[in-house]
């Protein structure tokens, strides 16, 4: 019976209750065969991050102040501004695969020689579909059961945080990355 109550019901006692999963975009797939370690390939078809912090962005549809019958009233603008970039705090895996994928993704979007969203080996045109994909952030309850999922459509990274090595502490290596996206869906599981 004690196995069921090894964590608080507020998901606060452990850092591994949120996972970011993504299928990698078309532009990164060719690197699956090029990058090898002595023991195994880095599988770039999908990647999973153990995240310990992120912000689900505010859903905002501004109201407009309109004159009506000698006064003013608020009506919906029926439009949504673009979302702010989302920052994700994650634990780097022991082979640095998740860090390397974001680093390589950023390299592909901005080739050092040409400075444009194009890499001659991978991206045939400048379409968003070549370098974006859907990101899934999944939250689990105290029994490790998935309870909610946020789907960030047409997402791609825009920055990767620094790595702060500190061998005096026994903590895992952590960093951040930021991404932007077109829209978000929220799904209760």
């Amino acid at each position: 019976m004690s196995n069921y109550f090894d964590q608080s019901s507020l998901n606060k006692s452990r850092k591994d209750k949120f996972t970011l999963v993504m299928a990698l975009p078309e532009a990164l797939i060719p690197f699956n065969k090029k990058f090898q370690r002595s023991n195994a390939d880095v599988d770039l078809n999908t990647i999973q991050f153990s995240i310990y912090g992120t912000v689900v962005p505010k859903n905002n549809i501004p109201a407009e102040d309109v004159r009506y019958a000698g006064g003013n009233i608020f009506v919906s603008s029926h439009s949504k501004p673009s979302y702010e970039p989302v920052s994700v705090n994650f634990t780097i895996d022991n082979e640095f695969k998740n860090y390397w994928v974001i680093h390589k993704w950023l390299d592909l979007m901005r080739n050092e020689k040409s400075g444009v969203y194009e890499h001659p080996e991978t991206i045939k045109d400048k379409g968003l579909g070549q370098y974006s994909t859907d990101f899934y952030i999944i939250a689990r309850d105290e029994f490790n059961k998935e309870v909610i999922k946020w789907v960030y459509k047409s997402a791609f990274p825009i920055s990767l945080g620094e790595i702060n090595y500190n061998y005096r502490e026994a903590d895992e290596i952590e960093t951040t990355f930021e991404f932007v996206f077109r829209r978000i869906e929220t799904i209760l599981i």
Side-chain angles (χ1 to χ4, degrees), residues 10-144:
L10 299 176
N11 280 336
K12 290 295 185 186
S13 68
R14 293 179 46 177
K15 291 184 177 182
D16 62 351
K17 291 300 178 183
F18 295 90
T19 305
L20 171 67
V21 180
M22 67 182 87
L24 292 203
E26 192 177 326
L28 282 175
I29 300 302
F31 286 88
N32 190 19
K33 294 178 177 59
K34 290 184 180 182
F35 182 78
Q36 293 186 351
R37 292 225 164 142
S38 59
N39 58 352
D41 290 346
V42 175
D43 181 9
L44 290 183
N45 293 326
T46 62
I47 192 88
Q48 180 171 312
F49 292 77
S50 176
I51 62 174
Y52 63 90
T54 189
V55 175
V56 176
K58 178 171 64 171
N59 196 351
N60 182 24
I61 300 176
E64 293 181 355
D65 193 11
V66 176
R67 290 201 45 82
Y68 178 77
N72 288 4
I73 61 170
F74 284 111
V75 297
S76 175
S77 65
H78 298 288
S79 67
K80 188 184 293 190
S82 60
Y83 291 102
E84 295 291 322
V86 174
S87 181
V88 174
N89 303 322
F90 70 98
T91 302
I92 297 175
D93 65 60
N94 61 350
E95 293 185 340
F96 287 80
K97 291 178 185 177
N98 54 8
Y99 177 86
W100 181 85
V101 166
I102 299 298
H103 189 275
K104 182 56 72 177
W105 199 338
L106 290 168
D107 280 350
L108 285 174
M109 289 192 302
R110 187 181 183 282
N111 185 317
E112 290 179 358
K113 294 179 182 174
S114 62
V116 297
Y117 287 118
E118 189 170 11
H119 190 282
E121 294 179 10
T122 58
I123 301 176
K124 295 172 185 57
D125 60 42
K126 296 180 185 179
L128 178 62
Q130 294 285 322
Y131 62 90
S132 70
T133 190
D134 294 345
F135 288 11
Y136 300 86
I137 293 183
I138 302 164
R140 292 177 176 78
D141 66 9
E142 66 274 15
F143 305 111
N144 240 11

Side-chain angles (χ1 to χ4, degrees), residues 96 163-167 173:
F96 287 80
I163 297 175
N164 186 6
Y165 288 106
N166 186 346
Y167 287 107
I173 300 172

Side-chain angles (χ1 to χ4, degrees), residues 120-183:
E121 294 179 10
T122 58
I123 301 176
K124 295 172 185 57
D125 60 42
K126 296 180 185 179
L128 178 62
Q130 294 285 322
Y131 62 90
S132 70
T133 190
D134 294 345
F135 288 11
Y136 300 86
I137 293 183
I138 302 164
R140 292 177 176 78
D141 66 9
E142 66 274 15
F143 305 111
N144 240 11
K145 180 182 172 194
E146 295 178 358
V147 291
I148 192 166
K149 177 179 5 180
W150 293 274
V151 182
Y152 297 88
K153 305 298 260 183
S154 299
F156 59 93
I158 59 171
S159 70
L160 178 60
E162 69 277 355
I163 297 175
N164 186 6
Y165 288 106
N166 186 346
Y167 287 107
R168 292 185 177 180
E169 296 180 16
D171 295 337
E172 295 174 310
I173 300 172
E174 300 169 343
T175 191
T176 63
F177 79 91
E178 279 189 316
F179 69 90
V180 293
F181 58 98
R182 192 180 66 219
R183 65 185 173 91

